[in-house]
Amino acid sequence: MQNHADLLEGLNSQQFKAVTHADGSLLVLAGAGSGKTKVLTTRLAWLIRTRHLGISEVLAVTFTNKAAREMLNRVGRLLHTDTKYMWVGTFHSIALRLLRAHYQEAGLPASFQIIDAGEQQSLIKRLIKQKGLDEDRYPAKEIQSYINYQKEQGLRAAQLTPDGLRTQQWLEIYNLYEETCNRDGLVDFTELLLRSYELLAMHDGLLRRYQQQFKHILVDEFQDTNQLQYLWLKILVGAESEIFAVGDDDQSIYSFRGAKVSNMRAFLRDFNAPEPLRLEQNYRSTTTILDAANALINNNSERIGKNLWTDNAQIDKIRLYEGYTEEDEAYFVIDEIKSLHNNGIDLADMAILYRSNAQSRVFEQHLYNRGLAYKVYGGLRFFDRLEIKRVLAYLRVIVNPYDNEAFLRIVNFPARGIGARTIENLQELALQRQISLFDAVEFLPGKSKLTVGKFIDLIRMMQSDIKVLNLTEVISYIIETSGIRAHFEADPKEGEERLDNLNELVTAVSGFTAEDADNPLVEFLAHAVLESVDNQAQNLESAVQLMTVHAAKGLEFKVVFVVGLEEGLFPHDNALKNLKDVEEERRLMYVAITRARDKLYLLRACSRLLWGKRISAPISRFVDEIPEELILNISGVSSIGYSQLNEYDTPKRNNFKLPNNPAQVANPESKTSRVVLVEKDLTIKIGDMVRHAKFGQGKVLRLNSDGKKMTAEIFFIGMGKKNLDLNIANIEKVN
């Protein structure tokens, strides 16, 4: 031990035990801020030096290239050696190294090419077209998710059995996809791992060679491993080799990517490992913060168990602020950041963490208005997000049909069967005649004119309908009527987040006050452009960090604001029906809490706008699970919150004036502007707000009276347009 004191210097007793563990495989439960990276890299250096191993006899697997580089740099400094030929890397990079070395045995050409997710999706699109399938019914992204999921389970197309027509088509595409990749020498990311696993499983000689070579296997972030990664590790561990895994089941938050927290317990069983060694001393946070994290996570039943502690001083209580609205919540956060910054805390040492990307919008706006630099970590600014740009493009074309850039963005979104060739023809016609794409549609030949003409009719209908809607209602109407909402509702992978962002757009509009009451839509579009200008800090500039809790994993800050702590938001509504999902949400909250070093703020809004409707928002169960003695409730009456609640009951009305242009047409279907329902003693006019027993609150767009039969077309927020027989419908006017 004496000769290796330089390696062991600075380790606490548990870290020392982990690094110098002598015999057999070991699972290290490394709590947040407990120095796991130091343990893993020191263990690697310790093995090479004390066991007299060659640098190629140890395999270390990480989840990110950054972690792999950091490990190599640290080991290089500890051992004063060149780490170039060490087997340290991500699962994918190690798998690629195996396949490059044994491409023939893997059934690959020497020059096989790696394709990224975008290229994979493009290939699947071509195969869908080749099979003559409807791309709307069989979206490429959906089939891509299916193929990757099956591969992560270690399953080829030939091993699967369809359970219906839809999965039959998916399976046929999967089969075609495999044939195409094999023929063209293409390998996607998931294939790297599956192909290398099959390489080892099918070639005993190769398997024995690598089992004998890798006498020790080290794994970082073990709680994030999926089924295939676990199988891959399991097959590599031979009779004479040992596996040393570091992970934290309390920070397993990636089940949506296929991560299996159950792999932690499986490790103890499959590798004959003793009781896990726990790293519980935290070097990051105060006692108060750790006590809160421990109390919270103890509510999870499916955990191996540990209890974080620290020698750090107990400084402040956790501060809880309950705002009236999301605007009130954001105003308080920015006010507090300004105050803390004035007292010497760097902006870069403060982070705002949220459950959903959509929540960033209101904080971005307030930071910008208060002149504070900010950085959206791992994501786009709100108005730069694809789904927001789509809605804004519809608004731009409604206001100005000659906006060719906006026209191209939405003419086939959501997909309406307008192909690339048709769009090319349209652009050529517009160029030849020196007219807009909108006007060029009437010169298209045959079927193309009919198909694109339906889009033109949709825009003209929208131009007519929004005349009686206020700005918030316009946004909701466009999201519904364009089909954008339905499009993302059908997307199982990204739809939820996209819909959250669309809802936040409706919220953003409801808080927008136009100076020109005659043209609020035009003014809002200008506002959106200005907001999307790069207000984010440059790389070298100190800035407040905005990010989702998922993106925050592995990071730490002096001051952390965890916002949106309401039931249905955090924990997310989609998790509330399943205990396992709630437990993952609780682990996510645990990650959020343990990002804070000195100060932790918990915030929630008592009411929040959802698709233009203000709803009450019960406080998150996670706040209730933190002992009261650890929390200081600093909530107070805010003039912003109070005024917003008052204004919501009497929303401002906006009258729209569209620019004069040939594309604007009158509404030919409105046969009357009002109807009188004698039996109900009720007069209804176009533009009236009504309430329906089933559909909720809506606005009357059209009225038709044909003798005794009177019908109305009503736009209901969150439900879309409905045609109702007024003699039968259970509606009442809203004053």
Side-chain angles (χ1 to χ4, degrees):
M1 294 286 180
Q2 192 67 33
N3 295 332
H4 310 299
D6 58 320
L7 289 183
L8 305 174
E9 186 179 356
L11 299 178
N12 65 35
S13 60
Q14 288 297 95
Q15 291 173 335
F16 180 90
K17 286 180 185 177
V19 168
T20 60
H21 176 71
D23 297 309
S25 296
L26 181 68
L27 176 64
V28 178
L29 275 185
S34 63
K36 75 172 180 66
T37 304
K38 183 177 184 179
V39 166
L40 201 59
T41 53
T42 308
R43 171 71 175 176
L44 180 53
W46 171 265
L47 288 171
I48 292 172
R49 184 188 287 184
T50 64
R51 304 287 178 89
H52 308 292
L53 299 174
I55 59 173
S56 64
E57 292 181 293
V58 182
L59 169 66
V61 188
T62 68
F63 271 85
T64 66
N65 289 314
K66 180 183 176 183
R69 285 193 298 271
E70 184 179 353
M71 188 179 294
L72 285 169
N73 289 336
R74 287 196 188 192
V75 170
R77 289 196 301 270
L78 287 170
L79 297 179
H80 309 290
T81 188
D82 183 2
T83 59
K84 183 178 179 181
Y85 297 103
M86 290 187 72
W87 284 77
V88 176
T90 63
F91 279 98
H92 292 111
S93 67
I94 298 295
L96 175 59
R97 190 167 170 180
L98 287 170
L99 293 178
R100 288 287 185 213
H102 308 287
Y103 65 88
Q104 287 180 318
E105 294 92 331
L108 291 168
S111 58
F112 71 85
Q113 296 298 309
I114 313 298
I115 58 173
D116 63 23
E119 292 165 327
Q120 182 189 31
Q121 192 175 124
S122 296
L123 172 56
I124 292 169
K125 278 184 180 178
R126 291 200 298 274
L127 297 177
I128 291 169
K129 192 171 184 179
Q130 181 181 314
K131 269 187 64 64
L133 295 176
D134 184 343
E135 290 182 53
D136 291 339
R137 287 193 63 200
Y138 296 95
K141 188 176 286 186
E142 194 174 85
I143 297 176
Q144 180 183 31
S145 297
Y146 169 80
I147 291 173
N148 289 340
Y149 174 79
Q150 299 304 336
K151 286 188 177 189
E152 285 171 357
Q153 305 312 304
L155 298 172
R156 294 291 186 189
Q159 298 170 273
L160 296 168
T161 304
D163 58 5
L165 177 60
R166 191 170 187 78
T167 51
Q168 174 68 42
Q169 299 289 10
W170 287 355
L171 194 48
E172 288 180 12
I173 293 290
Y174 184 11
N175 196 52
L176 262 178
Y177 175 79
E178 284 190 319
E179 289 176 2
T180 305
C181 288
N182 287 334
R183 183 193 67 218
D184 297 345
L186 304 176
V187 177
D188 61 53
F189 286 152
T190 315
E191 181 72 16
L192 283 171
L193 207 60
L194 179 55
R195 185 73 67 122
S196 65
Y197 171 76
E198 292 172 340
L199 170 71
L200 296 171
M202 294 176 184
H203 296 83
D204 289 340
L206 272 180
L207 178 60
R208 283 195 300 273
R209 168 185 162 181
Y210 284 106
Q211 285 178 338
Q212 290 167 4
Q213 176 178 330
F214 299 136
K215 294 178 173 59
H216 291 270
I217 298 175
L218 285 71
V219 190
D220 191 15
E221 302 285 7
F222 190 75
Q223 77 281 348
D224 293 334
T225 53
N226 62 28
Q227 174 76 6
L228 181 56
Q229 288 162 343
Y230 187 81
L231 292 173
W232 187 86
L233 289 168
K234 192 176 175 182
I235 201 173
L236 268 173
V237 178
E240 303 301 319
S241 53
E242 298 174 0
I243 182 168
F244 180 95
V246 177
D248 183 1
D249 56 337
D250 290 334
Q251 295 190 73
S252 179
I253 59 173
Y254 295 117
S255 67
F256 63 93
R257 294 182 187 168
K260 295 179 67 175
V261 67
S262 59
N263 285 347
M264 299 284 283
R265 289 190 182 277
F267 180 100
L268 299 174
R269 180 190 66 241
D270 293 341
F271 299 111
N272 298 313
E275 180 72 11
L277 190 150
R278 292 168 171 81
L279 302 183
E280 297 173 304
Q281 182 175 0
N282 176 284
Y283 293 92
R284 176 187 301 160
S285 307
T286 66
T287 300
T288 304
I289 291 168
L290 296 183
D291 287 348
N294 288 330
L296 171 86
I297 204 64
N298 277 336
N299 289 278
N300 273 7
S301 58
E302 297 294 322
R303 60 189 295 258
I304 299 173
K306 65 182 176 306
N307 205 60
L308 297 181
W309 62 275
T310 185
D311 285 333
N312 295 339
Q314 182 166 326
I315 306 173
D316 291 333
K317 283 190 173 184
I318 295 165
R319 300 192 169 201
L320 171 65
Y321 184 82
E322 300 180 82
Y324 284 115
T325 67
E326 62 273 22
E327 291 284 345
D328 190 16
E329 176 189 45
Y331 191 89
F332 171 82
V333 170
I334 309 313
D335 224 24
E336 198 71 6
I337 287 173
K338 193 100 176 174
S339 174
L340 291 166
H341 184 50
N342 289 339
N343 284 313
I345 297 181
D346 196 286
L347 291 179
D349 277 330
M350 293 184 270
I352 303 171
L353 308 185
Y354 35 78
R355 176 64 180 82
S356 165
N357 270 314
Q359 293 169 259
S360 76
R361 195 275 312 168
V362 67
F363 295 99
E364 290 183 58
Q365 178 183 320
H366 280 279
L367 285 163
Y368 175 63
N369 291 343
R370 302 288 290 277
L372 291 169
Y374 70 90
K375 182 75 177 176
V376 180
Y377 186 95
L380 294 170
R381 295 182 302 276
F382 182 76
F383 284 103
D384 284 342
R385 292 168 191 167
L386 176 65
E387 60 278 13
I388 303 302
K389 283 184 169 290
R390 300 283 197 193
V391 175
L392 295 178
Y394 270 97
L395 295 173
R396 284 166 56 183
V397 172
I398 287 168
V399 168
N400 176 20
Y402 306 138
D403 186 335
N404 287 341
E405 184 183 347
F407 181 97
L408 288 171
R409 188 180 287 275
I410 61 172
V411 65
N412 196 40
F413 185 86
R416 45 179 63 93
I418 299 172
R421 186 59 193 152
T422 297
I423 293 173
E424 287 173 11
N425 290 340
L426 185 63
Q427 289 174 306
E428 289 173 9
L429 283 169
L431 187 63
Q432 289 169 5
R433 295 174 177 269
Q434 292 296 293
I435 55 177
S436 70
L437 296 171
F438 194 99
D439 287 342
V441 172
E442 65 176 287
F443 299 105
L444 282 170
K447 186 180 176 182
S448 295
K449 181 178 179 179
L450 290 173
T451 305
V452 186
K454 290 178 182 178
F455 170 70
I456 301 300
D457 292 342
L458 174 66
I459 296 298
R460 285 176 171 154
M461 181 187 76
M462 289 175 168
Q463 288 178 322
S464 175
D465 285 355
I466 69 168
K467 290 178 183 178
V468 295
L469 302 178
N470 68 29
L471 191 52
T472 303
E473 292 162 345
V474 167
I475 303 299
S476 292
Y477 170 81
I478 296 300
I479 291 169
E480 298 282 349
T481 309
S482 65
I484 288 176
R485 179 169 178 167
H487 172 82
F488 289 120
E489 282 177 340
D491 182 350
K493 191 171 183 182
E494 297 181 357
E496 177 188 309
E497 184 174 329
R498 305 286 192 189
L499 289 168
D500 284 344
N501 286 333
L502 292 174
N503 168 53
E504 187 58 31
L505 178 62
V506 177
T507 301
V509 173
S510 69
F512 174 74
T513 303
E515 293 181 9
D516 182 358
D518 290 337
N519 288 295
L521 180 52
V522 173
E523 198 169 320
F524 177 74
L525 287 170
H527 163 76
V529 172
L530 291 174
E531 284 284 308
S532 68
V533 172
D534 195 358
N535 297 319
Q536 294 199 73
Q538 300 303 311
N539 289 336
L540 299 178
E541 187 179 353
S542 177
V544 179
Q545 306 294 302
L546 278 70
M547 65 192 77
T548 64
V549 184
H550 281 103
K553 188 169 177 290
L555 303 176
E556 58 181 75
F557 307 92
K558 273 189 179 179
V559 183
V560 169
F561 298 86
V562 185
V563 301
L565 286 170
E566 300 130 37
E567 287 290 298
L569 186 54
F570 198 178
H572 198 279
D573 189 56
N574 290 345
L576 298 180
K577 296 176 184 177
N578 185 301
L579 178 61
K580 284 189 176 180
D581 291 341
V582 170
E583 293 208 345
E584 176 143 342
E585 291 286 301
R586 188 174 286 111
R587 292 194 292 269
L588 193 60
M589 179 63 178
Y590 176 85
V591 168
I593 290 173
T594 53
R595 299 312 94 197
R597 294 204 298 268
D598 298 338
K599 291 180 180 289
L600 175 63
Y601 292 79
L602 307 179
L603 298 102
R604 70 105 166 197
C606 296
S607 70
R608 194 173 288 272
L609 279 177
L610 184 64
W611 297 106
K613 297 180 181 179
R614 185 159 293 285
I615 60 169
S616 62
I619 194 165
S620 169
R621 69 188 69 188
F622 300 150
V623 176
D624 292 334
E625 290 170 1
I626 297 172
E628 286 184 23
E629 62 268 20
L630 301 178
I631 292 179
L632 176 65
N633 193 320
I634 56 173
S635 305
V637 176
S638 160
S639 59
I640 282 192
Y642 183 74
S643 65
Q644 283 229 341
L645 287 175
N646 282 340
E647 286 180 13
Y648 180 73
D649 294 327
T650 55
K652 294 182 177 71
R653 316 308 294 174
N654 293 310
N655 297 314
F656 285 88
K657 289 185 179 178
L658 290 168
N660 293 324
N661 60 66
Q664 186 176 331
V665 296
N667 177 7
E669 299 179 36
S670 295
K671 297 179 181 178
T672 182
S673 61
R674 71 174 61 208
V675 296
V676 179
L677 304 174
V678 178
E679 293 182 8
K680 296 184 178 181
D681 190 25
L682 188 64
T683 300
I684 295 179
K685 306 185 298 296
I686 289 177
D688 277 350
M689 294 297 295
V690 296
R691 182 179 292 109
H692 187 273
K694 179 179 178 182
F695 304 128
Q697 194 163 299
K699 174 163 280 191
V700 178
L701 299 179
R702 291 184 176 84
L703 290 167
N704 289 278
S705 179
D706 183 11
K708 289 186 177 181
K709 186 175 182 181
M710 287 172 280
T711 60
E713 186 177 87
I714 304 172
F715 173 71
F716 294 98
I717 294 176
M719 300 296 291
K721 289 195 291 187
K722 305 288 181 183
N723 285 293
L724 302 178
D725 186 331
L726 295 176
N727 293 307
I728 300 172
N730 184 8
I731 62 170
E732 60 182 7
K733 286 180 69 171
V734 177
N735 295 321

